[in-house]
Structure formats: structure tokens, C-alpha cells
Amino acid sequence: MSDPIVEAKRRRTFAIISHPDAGKTTLTEKFLLYGGALGKEAGTVKAREGRRSATSDWMELEQQRGISITSTVLQFEYRDCVVNLLDTPGHRDFSEDTYRVLAAADAAVMVLDAAKGIEPQTLKLFEVCREREIPFLTFINKWDRPGKDPLQLLDEIEETLVVEPTPVTWPVGIPGDFRGVVHRGTGVYTRFERTARGSTIAPEEEVDEASAEAQDGEWWLQAKDEVDLLDEIGRVVDQKTFLAGESTPVFFGSALTNFGVRFLLDGVVDLVPPPAPRILADGSRRALDDPFAGLVFKVQAGMDKSHRDRIAFVRVCSGRFERGITAIAERTERQFSTKYAQAMFGQDRDTADEAYPGDVLGLVNANDLRVGDAVYVDKPASFPDLPAFAPEHFMRARVKDTSKFKQFRKGIAQLDEEGAIQVLRDEMGDQAPILAAVGPMQFEVANYRLQNEFGAEIEMTSTPYTIARKTDEESGPQLNAMQGVSVLRRDNGTFLALFESKYWMDRVLADHPELTLERMVAEGGLG
Ligand code: G4P
């Protein structure tokens, strides 16, 4: 049995965020290659017999759209650390999910395409990072092909994101003719050699100055000048500003050819902070060696149609989790068994026997759990609420075939509990709830899942609303009586006031300062 404090210290839990196509999937694969875990995929998703096809059914929609909706968690060991890598949805419409995943991560890696720099999606996801106050590393990918000038990319990061980029490695050779990288900490120049599509670890050679100049001539001299310039202007990695989100250590590389991947992984181990005592709802902190407590950051059902299973993804925040213990769900105070807890990764085991702060568990059929809940043993825990994102798209949903109403109701409740979409009700109640989304693609997912998982085909009709604020029971009736405003209730007891326009909302705010109308995260859109 290990000490949770010692184990927590070896954990590095982070998420990758990137614009679709920047190379997140490729980089994840390469991390696994360098972590020695390639070929062993996420345990929960792939472990059970027959799962693969069921899983790919659910992925059908993602494939059709070429985006990643669901997130997975992978774990591998690297150096003396246990690395937990959380995947995030790549599309802005799912930024609320990204936020929740980041609530379970201690840092993020932002992947940029060297030819594209900061793309709109990156910016939006970055803002979610900032909202969450999470430190992040930057990986400038695809250096094996033509792209922007490295100094220009640094300027772009600085100007667009308003953070100071502090390169850890610096590329030798222009994009498209990538020779290697200089590590600014050690001054060592490492040359890489290509392998076929990077299927094996890229051979590396540490080159001294004389042979660098002989072999890489002007590229080497240019890199040296640029590194000198960076030194002169003080662009060096600073742990304090990095942790505060004010600077970002930058790595250059090519995930496809594996160039620079090892340096990035070393950066994760050296720079990403290990799990710290978690802040609780009352402002105190849960010590790492307190009894087990975990945060539910994602609930997902429908990974297996035949089983109708529901998995709660839990980030361990304190203590030692041992499979089989009886835990308590904070919200209902009900006990549940963790006999079927699963580790959310491969690593030669399908079920989690033990886990420590920073690790992620999958609790199967823990039906009492919702996103944001705590689970614990012995000593109660409650985490601060995860903020709801401001929905900007509102559609009324009805079941097409009324004989399927029961399935429809169940499906809607399920999507709401998972946080896949916000479900609002007015006097039409369950007959025709309003689905509220941060991005329209959430409607597609809801539609697809209601039909495919619950057999309830729906029709959606548009509504005039474009913006929402959180209100309460006192202000609700007065707002509801106004023209162009509707107050609807969520199942979790919160009330949202929906407005037809921002202009109208601002007028109501100006005329009635006494009414409660609270902003939600990302109102007016991210970016
Ligand atoms: P994503 O998860 O962020 O959406 O990106 P993904 O890894 O799927 O990569 C998107 C495309 O970019 C893929 O090409 C991938 O091979 C390519 N790519 C990733 N990293 C690098 C890199 O370092 N250099 C180069 N040149 N390409 C890279 P694809 O054509 O869509 O797929 P495939 O046919 O190559 O598999």
C-alpha cells in the first residue's frame, strides 16, 4: 500500500487542447509510444468483449463530422511519473465539456499547427483554459513541413493570447527542412532522424557545435542567433508565471515524425504541477492524504447500447482509492459499491484496483452521480459548483411518435444529467422541453442519441431566444410577465431568463436593477 502524498507527487494530469487537425490525436499516439504503452487503448472503452463495435457505433456521428465529441483518458508511465492524459473535444460547441475536463486536469498542452498559428478554435479553447485558470504548455507542431517563422509564431502567441511565450526548445532548420532542436536549458543540440511515419521512436543524436555548423550550416547559425536573441530579451521558462497562466513554455516539433515529442513529454513531467490539495466548496482544502474523495467531471452513457451503461468519470482528489470500497455520493448521501470501478486506460488491466490523487476512475452504473458531484469515504467532501456556460441556442423538442413519449422523456433526462445539453422547462413541461446549447452541434448530438439510444425520434422547432441569464424564484415571475422574456426552470432547480435579444436584455437590466440576472460563463460567446 502506498502513501497518497508520495503517489500524488508522481502524478502529472493534463489535457491536450487544439484546433481540429492541428495534430492532437497524432501527438497522443506519440506520447503513448514514448510512454511505452502504444497499442493498449483506453480500458473502459475497449476492454470488454464486443465493446469495440458498440463503441464505434457511438462514434459514428463523430466520424461523420470528423470531430471528436467524447473524451477519453489515457494513463502511462514516463520516467518516474504516472502521466494521466485527458482528451478534450476539439470543437468549440463542446467548450462546456472542455471546461469540465479541465476541472479534472492540473495543466493543458495547447497544440498549434506551425503553418496556421492561432486558429479561431484554439483561441476559444484557450479562453476556456484562462477561465479555468489552468497553466499550459504550447507545442508548435508540423515543423516538418512549410510553416510560419518561429519568431513570428511567438509574436502571434503573445499578441493574441496575451501570455509570454518562453521557448524550452528552439528549432534548427526551417519548417519543411527540420533538422533538430536546441534545448535552451542545457544548450544541447539534438538532431533527429526520420522513421517511416514516425512508427518508432525517432533516433536522436546530440551534436556538438563544430559538427552542427558543418552539417547544418546556415540553419544552425540562424538558430543560434535566435536563441541568443531570446536570451537577451529574457524569454526563459519561469515556473511562477507559468503556474499563474502568464507565460507558456513553448516546444517545437513534429508529432508525425516524432521530432521533439520526447522534449515535450519531459516538459510535462518537469513543469506540470503534481496534484495539490483540492479546494472545497467551503473554501478549505482537502489534504492529499485525507480519506478518498473524487470529483465527477463527466458522465457518459451510451458507450454500449446493449448495456445502457452509464459511466461517471471521477478524478481522484485525495486519499487512496481501492476497488470494492463503499463510497458515498455527496448529493444523495447514498452509498454505492465500487466493485466494478474501472481504470480509464489500458496498462494491462481493465479494472482499477487502486488509484491516487490525479488519477481518473470510471464508476460504472453509479446512477446517482452528476457532473460536479463529489464521491467520498468517511469524511464528507463537496466541491465548488462547476459553472454553467451561457447557452446561446434554444430549440423546442417534441417526440415525433407520441407512443415513444416514455423513451423521449427518459432520453431527455439522461442528456440533462450528463450535461450533454441543458434542458429547460416551461408550462409545456416534459411534452416539449426547450433544449439550450452553447453551440448548435450539441443539438445534433442530442438528436442522434435520442434516436439511436432511446428510439425516440424528435422534431425540433426554433425559438426566438438568443441569450440567457440566471435568475431566481423571486425575480422569475416578474420577468416572465414581460414581453420578449421567458423564465424556464432546469431540473437542478436553477431558473434561466431567456431573452430575444441582447438589446432587450440590456434594457430590462437598466430598467429593473432590482431583478436578479446573473451572467454565466462565456456569455456572448468565447473569443
Ligand atoms: P487532430 O486530432 O488535432 O484533429 O489532428 P490529427 O492528429 O488527426 O492530425 C491531423 C492531420 O495532420 C493528419 O493528417 C495527421 O497525419 C497530420 N499531422 C499530425 N501531426 C503532423 C506533423 O507533425 N506533421 C505533418 N506533416 N502532419 C501531421 P491526415 O491526412 O488527416 O490523416 P492521415 O492520413 O495522415 O492519417
Side-chain angles (χ1 to χ4, degrees):
M1 200 204 286
S2 304
D3 177 350
I5 294 185
V6 173
E7 287 297 325
K9 233 183 180 156
R10 342 202 263 130
R11 297 303 193 270
R12 298 292 181 273
T13 303
F14 72 104
I16 302 187
I17 59 170
S18 79
H19 187 94
D21 257 10
K24 186 176 60 166
T25 314
T26 313
L27 184 63
T28 302
E29 270 172 39
K30 299 313 167 73
F31 275 160
L32 293 180
L33 177 71
Y34 279 78
L38 196 68
K40 294 164 189 165
E41 296 155 286
T44 311
V45 183
K46 303 281 161 72
R48 279 203 265 137
E49 194 65 13
R51 266 269 170 109
R52 195 173 289 269
S53 60
T55 307
S56 44
D57 272 352
W58 158 233
M59 302 299 162
E60 212 176 284
L61 181 70
E62 302 191 31
Q63 277 161 8
Q64 279 168 13
R65 303 295 311 226
I67 52 159
S68 133
I69 297 167
T70 48
S71 27
T72 44
V73 183
L74 297 160
Q75 187 187 56
F76 56 92
E77 292 203 19
Y78 183 72
R79 290 180 17 202
D80 53 353
C81 284
V82 177
V83 179
N84 293 304
L85 198 176
L86 318 186
D87 188 18
T88 55
H91 197 282
R92 68 154 298 187
D93 286 9
F94 303 100
S95 47
E96 191 168 9
D97 289 319
T98 299
Y99 187 97
R100 295 175 189 144
V101 173
L102 291 179
D106 295 317
V109 168
M110 178 173 77
V111 182
L112 302 182
D113 181 327
K116 300 194 172 137
I118 311 273
E119 299 176 78
Q121 211 87 242
T122 330
L123 185 58
K124 274 149 200 148
L125 295 169
F126 165 76
E127 280 166 9
V128 178
C129 264
R130 177 165 283 168
E131 194 78 52
R132 181 73 214 149
E133 295 180 345
I134 197 165
F136 71 102
L137 308 172
T138 300
F139 183 64
I140 300 185
N141 189 30
K142 304 199 186 182
W143 209 256
D144 58 298
R145 61 180 204 193
K148 297 186 180 181
D149 173 76
L151 289 169
Q152 186 194 342
L153 281 162
L154 294 192
D155 282 348
E156 202 174 311
I157 292 171
E158 177 148 23
E159 276 164 25
T160 321
L161 308 183
V162 200
V163 281
E164 182 171 306
T166 55
V168 175
T169 60
W170 194 253
V172 177
I174 48 162
D177 186 6
F178 189 22
R179 308 288 174 95
V181 296
V182 181
H183 191 281
R184 292 187 59 225
T186 60
V188 172
Y189 171 32
T190 304
R191 263 182 144 256
F192 303 114
E193 249 177 70
R194 278 187 93 115
T195 61
R197 279 191 68 87
S199 55
T200 53
I201 289 173
E204 296 177 0
E205 183 196 0
E206 289 187 2
V207 184
D208 63 27
E209 287 220 17
S211 55
E213 205 169 326
Q215 289 183 52
D216 300 314
E218 65 173 299
W219 298 144
W220 163 250
L221 294 174
Q222 185 182 336
K224 236 173 71 142
D225 278 353
E226 287 164 345
V227 166
D228 286 346
L229 175 73
L230 292 169
D231 289 345
E232 260 167 48
I233 58 172
R235 284 300 160 79
V236 284
V237 175
D238 177 63
Q239 187 77 3
K240 200 168 146 225
T241 52
F242 160 62
L243 291 179
E246 292 160 11
S247 71
T248 177
V250 178
F251 299 78
F252 289 82
S254 152
L256 189 69
T257 57
N258 301 335
F259 290 14
V261 170
R262 184 174 62 80
F263 287 111
L264 176 61
L265 201 45
D266 283 332
V268 166
V269 164
D270 296 334
L271 295 165
V272 169
R278 188 93 186 182
I279 292 185
L280 299 171
D282 65 5
S284 68
R285 284 182 188 264
R286 182 96 172 176
L288 292 168
D289 57 354
D290 265 346
F292 165 73
L295 165 73
V296 178
F297 65 96
K298 181 182 169 68
V299 172
Q300 184 165 319
M303 286 164 102
D304 181 346
K305 261 193 216 170
S306 57
H307 290 86
R308 233 341 101 71
D309 57 348
R310 181 192 319 210
I311 292 182
F313 291 65
V314 176
R315 140 112 189 196
V316 179
C317 297
S318 67
R320 175 177 183 271
F321 171 86
E322 211 178 319
R323 187 154 62 89
I325 56 170
T326 300
I328 294 166
E330 165 213 357
R331 205 169 32 80
T332 55
E333 292 185 358
R334 287 233 286 265
Q335 294 194 335
F336 65 90
S337 158
T338 60
K339 204 162 127 197
Y340 301 107
Q342 295 178 345
M344 303 307 296
F345 41 80
Q347 286 265 318
D348 300 328
R349 47 183 177 161
D350 300 327
T351 43
D353 285 330
E354 54 178 33
Y356 294 95
D359 291 342
V360 173
L361 302 166
L363 297 179
V364 184
N365 282 332
N367 291 335
D368 280 344
L369 299 178
R370 309 270 185 281
V371 170
D373 283 358
V375 293
Y376 61 84
V377 297
D378 298 340
K379 184 176 165 186
S382 176
F383 298 108
D385 286 342
L386 289 175
F389 272 49
E392 286 173 35
H393 304 268
F394 305 87
M395 299 280 267
R396 205 180 274 283
R398 290 184 180 81
V399 67
K400 266 192 184 157
D401 172 356
T402 46
S403 72
K404 296 281 166 63
F405 179 69
K406 241 172 91 181
Q407 290 86 329
F408 168 71
R409 197 164 60 180
K410 198 166 159 204
I412 290 280
Q414 170 71 38
L415 294 179
D416 197 15
E417 285 168 11
E418 279 180 37
I421 202 151
Q422 298 180 25
V423 178
L424 311 175
R425 293 184 181 82
D426 55 11
E427 66 287 346
M428 310 268 302
D430 281 346
Q431 294 295 330
I434 287 185
L435 305 184
V438 174
M441 218 179 273
Q442 284 179 267
F443 294 127
E444 275 186 56
V445 173
N447 194 0
Y448 178 90
R449 290 190 55 191
L450 285 167
Q451 187 170 341
N452 286 275
E453 274 168 47
F454 296 91
E457 219 179 314
I458 58 166
E459 59 185 8
M460 285 196 253
T461 44
S462 56
T463 70
Y465 309 113
T466 62
I467 192 164
R469 283 266 171 116
K470 215 163 131 177
T471 183
D472 56 23
E473 233 169 328
E474 286 75 57
S475 301
Q478 199 182 333
L479 284 161
N480 211 21
M482 293 178 191
Q483 224 184 358
V485 191
S486 274
V487 175
L488 291 96
R489 187 175 185 281
R490 287 195 69 180
D491 217 25
N492 64 8
T494 53
F495 290 88
L496 292 195
L498 275 45
F499 296 85
E500 292 184 11
S501 69
K502 178 162 184 330
Y503 165 78
W504 191 241
M505 183 180 82
D506 288 342
R507 264 195 60 181
V508 172
L509 276 167
D511 293 349
H512 299 277
E514 76 284 4
L515 295 176
T516 306
L517 285 168
E518 264 176 60
R519 270 181 89 93
M520 285 176 283
V521 174
E523 180 185 302
L526 292 158

